[in-house]
């Protein structure tokens, strides 16, 4: 029996205007992702991968079409409700980590917990750091950590509020292969625990870890390994 999709993009488009010129970053993308899937989004630079991720994260809104996640049409949420929704539903990991530079590793992980009103934020943050193997680095600033360590802190932060959806934009793009491997293991562990993962990558080897690979080109889905037949271009 087909499952209700956890993430649904229904003819979602994103058009940017640059003076008189229109840039179609996403062109009527329809995509269903089932809870528990690990999906890699691939395609050349500029094909719309980050735009797609930003729509699903509710960071950006489509120009037309709909983004529905766990039954919620994101268009129905105002900015404040969207921020609240994001905090409880989505964890995001970026290529350049985006940790707050003046906060320690522990404080960075603690922040989303505090914002969500978690009663035992410090303890939970410690447990999360332990889970990514960085309990011993808890009081270091990001600048005192390696890239791989910073990304592990960022993953701990992304998972802080137990989001059902983990989004990642080139999470291994700035790491050496050993650190990249460690990071991918953490994604695997989260996926194993039931987290749905959407991971944008240029790297075919990283994409191959996913269950499903969706390929974009010029803002359109040109291949989807979940379909038997690739959509016509
Ligand atoms: P990718 O992540 O695959 O490299 P993006 O989603 O970043 O692609 O970008 C898709 C297209 O949209 C590109 O042509 C890019 O230049 C354009 N674009 C992205 N963001 C903006 C923006 N804020 N303003 C104008 N054009 C943008």
């Amino acid at each position: 029996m087909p499952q209700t999709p956890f993430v649904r993009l229904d003819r979602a488009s994103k058009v940017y205007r640059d003076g008189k010129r229109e840039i179609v970053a996403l062109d009527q993308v329809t995509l269903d992702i089932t809870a528990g899937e690990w999906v890699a989004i691939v395609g050349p630079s500029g094909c719309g991968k980050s735009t797609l991720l930003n729509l699903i994260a509710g960071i950006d809104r489509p120009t037309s079409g709909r983004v529905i996640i766990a039954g919620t049409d994101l268009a129905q949420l105002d900015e404040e409700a969207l921020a609240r929704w994001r905090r409880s539903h989505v964890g995001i990991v970026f290529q350049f980590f985006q940790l707050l530079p003046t906060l320690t590793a522990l404080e960075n992980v603690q922040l989303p917990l505090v914002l969500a009103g978690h009663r035992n934020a410090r303890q939970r943050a410690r447990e999360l750091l332990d889970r990514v193997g960085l309990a011993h680095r808890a009081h270091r600033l990001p600048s005192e950590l390696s890239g791989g360590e910073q990304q592990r802190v960022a993953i701990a932060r992304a998972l802080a509020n137990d989001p059902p959806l983990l989004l990642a934009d080139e999470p291994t793009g700035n790491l050496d292969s050993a650190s990249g491997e460690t990071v991918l293991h953490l994604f695997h562990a989260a996926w194993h625990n039931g987290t749905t993962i959407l991971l944008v990558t240029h790297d075919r080897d990283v994409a191959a870890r996913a269950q499903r690979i969706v390929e974009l080109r010029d803002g359109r889905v040109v291949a989807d390994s979940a379909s038997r037949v690739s959509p016509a271009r």
Side-chain angles (χ1 to χ4, degrees):
M1 205 169 63
Q3 282 182 279
T4 314
F6 179 57
V7 175
R8 163 162 280 184
L9 262 72
D10 179 15
R11 285 163 295 162
S13 294
K14 182 75 189 180
V15 180
Y16 292 105
R17 233 166 263 284
D18 180 13
K20 279 189 182 162
R21 209 162 62 101
E22 277 193 348
I23 300 162
V24 182
L26 278 187
D27 190 5
Q28 302 212 40
V29 169
T30 292
L31 184 68
D32 282 350
I33 296 169
T34 305
E37 274 194 296
W38 177 345
V39 182
I41 310 285
V42 300
S45 186
C47 70
K49 302 183 297 294
S50 300
T51 303
L52 179 80
L53 213 66
N54 288 344
L55 293 189
I56 293 172
I59 290 172
D60 218 339
R61 293 181 186 270
T63 317
S64 63
R66 297 192 305 162
V67 180
I68 301 162
I69 300 180
T72 302
D73 184 340
L74 299 192
Q76 288 169 354
L77 306 179
D78 63 21
E79 292 308 315
E80 201 184 316
L82 194 58
R84 235 179 301 125
W85 172 87
R86 197 183 302 121
R87 231 175 272 140
S88 58
H89 284 77
V90 187
I92 312 178
V93 177
F94 301 94
Q95 180 175 359
F96 295 104
F97 329 127
Q98 302 203 2
L99 299 174
L100 292 175
T102 56
L103 301 185
T104 64
L106 185 67
E107 289 163 346
N108 266 285
V109 179
Q110 212 176 322
L111 190 60
L113 292 159
V114 171
L115 289 174
H118 197 285
R119 268 185 287 159
N120 217 341
R122 203 167 176 82
Q123 179 59 29
R124 164 95 179 140
R126 276 186 197 287
E127 287 163 10
L128 284 154
L129 275 183
D130 193 32
R131 215 199 282 174
V132 299
L134 287 177
H136 63 298
R137 309 292 259 169
H139 301 294
R140 300 297 176 110
L141 292 172
S143 59
E144 298 170 318
L145 300 173
S146 71
E149 287 173 334
Q150 288 184 62
Q151 196 60 303
R152 282 149 69 192
V153 174
I155 292 172
R157 176 181 62 180
L159 294 175
N161 290 315
D162 261 332
L165 183 58
L166 184 58
L167 304 177
D169 200 347
E170 298 279 6
T172 59
N174 204 39
L175 303 180
D176 60 75
S177 56
S179 303
E181 200 53 45
T182 307
V183 159
L184 287 171
H185 269 108
L186 294 173
F187 278 98
H188 193 273
W191 177 66
H192 194 71
N193 285 333
T195 308
T196 306
I197 296 179
L198 228 89
L199 188 155
V200 161
T201 183
H202 269 98
D203 187 330
R204 288 273 160 189
D205 291 339
V206 172
R209 307 296 181 92
Q211 273 185 317
R212 174 178 172 193
I213 301 179
V214 172
E215 186 175 345
L216 293 182
R217 197 151 298 204
D218 298 330
R220 294 181 180 195
V221 175
V222 292
D224 184 344
S225 66
S227 316
R228 279 161 178 250
V229 184
S230 299
R233 295 186 65 181

